[in-house]
């Protein structure tokens, strides 16, 4: 919690996530609702999102998600999918695993970082989750990211906006072909991911609110209590990388 000029306080929360992680999606939804309750009461809440890749070696090319999960979890994959779909439905979220595709999420994290540097990324993070889990979109594709950025009111780069834009078009004006890992701010993103791993982050979601670190999706109540400074009643449990999908 930070005291600002005039005596007003800003409640700050960090969330480490990956946008292909269903537990991150559920945790994000609960965090945003908890933050909304405080905002409705007149408090200012600042949410910051930190990058984590569940599959850093995943190819940029999209693959159908269900076969990937079946290769990882075998006959239990469908059971886990059903469980996750039910949990999400109770939060008002629609998951369509049969449509979902998965690939490298570095580009999506880069877009989140740019949105955050320009004043916040809450809407974009939600849209990326929904694009992946509900709409069956490949959120590693530059064209998809460009469209989602525009949908969220973020101005992509063009001839007029210069190097500070969110995305850069190719010389021919098309929206594809961005060399994400060669972008000027890509190295800073990689360093942030490495720093989190060095500090012991091995799964997501993870929340840091004040002096509390909460692992796992957490209940909305637990997140609200942490944001509001109420005594902690639950510490949650760590989410493993495998469980994060």
């Amino acid at each position: 919690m930070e005291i600002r000029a005039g005596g007003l306080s800003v409640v700050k929360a960090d969330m480490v996530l990956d946008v292909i992680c269903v537990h991150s999606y559920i945790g994000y939804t609960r965090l945003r609702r908890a933050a909304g309750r405080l905002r409705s009461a007149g408090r200012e809440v600042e949410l910051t999102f930190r990058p984590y890749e569940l599959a850093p070696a995943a190819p940029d090319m999209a693959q159908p998600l269900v076969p990937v999960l079946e290769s990882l979890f075998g006959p239990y994959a469908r059971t886990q999918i059903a469980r996750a779909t039910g949990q999400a439905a109770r939060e008002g979220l629609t998951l369509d695993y049969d449509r979902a595709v998965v690939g490298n999420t570095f580009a999506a994290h880069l877009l989140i970082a740019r949105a955050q540097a320009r004043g916040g990324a809450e809407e974009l993070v939600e849209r990326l989750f929904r694009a992946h889990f509900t709409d069956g979109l490949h959120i590693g594709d530059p064209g998809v990211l460009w469209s989602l950025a525009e949908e969220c009111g973020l101005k992509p780069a063009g001839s007029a906006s210069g190097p500070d834009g969110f995305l850069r078009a190719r010389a021919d004006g098309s929206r594809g072909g961005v060399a994400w890992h060669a972008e000027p701010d890509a190295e800073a993103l990689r360093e942030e991911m490495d720093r989190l791993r060095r500090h012991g982050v091995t799964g997501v979601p993870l929340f840091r609110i004040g002096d509390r670190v909460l692992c796992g999706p957490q209940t909305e109540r637990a997140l609200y209590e942490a944001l509001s400074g109420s005594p902690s009643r639950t510490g949650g449990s760590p989410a493993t990388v495998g469980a994060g999908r």
Side-chain angles (χ1 to χ4, degrees):
M1 185 175 296
E2 176 181 303
I3 304 300
R4 303 178 64 200
L8 299 178
S9 61
V10 179
V11 180
K12 294 189 175 184
D14 280 5
M15 179 180 182
V16 186
L17 56 77
D18 197 357
V19 284
I20 57 169
C21 168
V22 66
H23 298 298
S24 290
Y25 193 9
I26 292 171
Y28 164 87
T29 300
R30 293 171 178 170
L31 176 65
R32 202 173 184 194
R33 286 176 182 162
R37 291 167 60 185
L38 276 182
R39 288 165 175 163
S40 296
R43 302 291 300 279
E44 186 175 347
V45 182
E46 180 181 310
L47 304 182
T48 301
F49 303 102
R50 307 292 182 186
Y52 187 92
E53 289 182 295
L54 286 174
D60 292 331
M61 183 178 298
Q63 306 172 72
L65 178 56
V66 171
V68 171
L69 295 179
E70 288 175 337
S71 69
L72 290 170
F73 305 117
Y76 299 103
R78 283 289 179 180
T79 300
Q80 292 184 320
I81 289 171
R83 183 181 297 117
T85 301
Q87 290 175 338
R90 290 190 288 274
E91 301 296 330
L93 307 175
T94 300
L95 308 186
D96 191 340
Y97 276 84
D98 289 325
R99 292 182 65 191
V101 296
V102 65
N104 193 282
T105 57
F106 186 88
H109 284 298
L110 191 60
L111 187 61
I112 292 169
R114 290 175 180 171
Q116 200 155 250
R118 291 158 179 79
E122 285 186 47
E123 183 181 353
L124 176 64
V125 170
E126 187 281 330
R127 189 63 188 97
L128 286 165
F129 276 127
R130 183 158 43 92
H132 171 67
F133 282 105
T134 305
D135 301 336
L137 298 176
H138 175 27
I139 57 172
D141 179 82
V144 170
L145 290 174
W146 186 301
S147 296
L148 296 178
E150 288 183 318
E151 187 178 325
C152 294
L154 307 175
K155 183 181 180 182
S159 59
S161 62
D164 292 330
F166 289 92
L167 301 171
R168 297 169 180 79
R170 295 191 306 190
D172 62 5
S174 65
R175 299 183 174 191
V178 178
W180 295 105
H181 291 261
E183 292 287 287
D185 47 358
E187 184 59 34
L189 182 66
R190 281 190 288 269
E191 290 176 357
E192 174 74 354
M193 291 179 176
D194 290 342
R195 183 186 67 82
L196 290 170
R197 290 184 183 274
R198 288 197 305 270
H199 280 75
V201 178
T202 59
V204 287
L206 182 144
F207 307 87
R208 181 172 181 177
I209 304 172
D211 60 355
R212 300 184 192 178
V213 176
L214 307 174
C215 301
Q218 301 300 309
T219 64
E220 182 180 328
R221 178 177 179 176
L223 292 168
Y224 178 79
E225 289 177 347
L227 288 169
S228 62
S230 301
S232 177
R233 300 183 183 182
T234 178
S237 57
T240 66
V241 171
R245 295 190 179 184

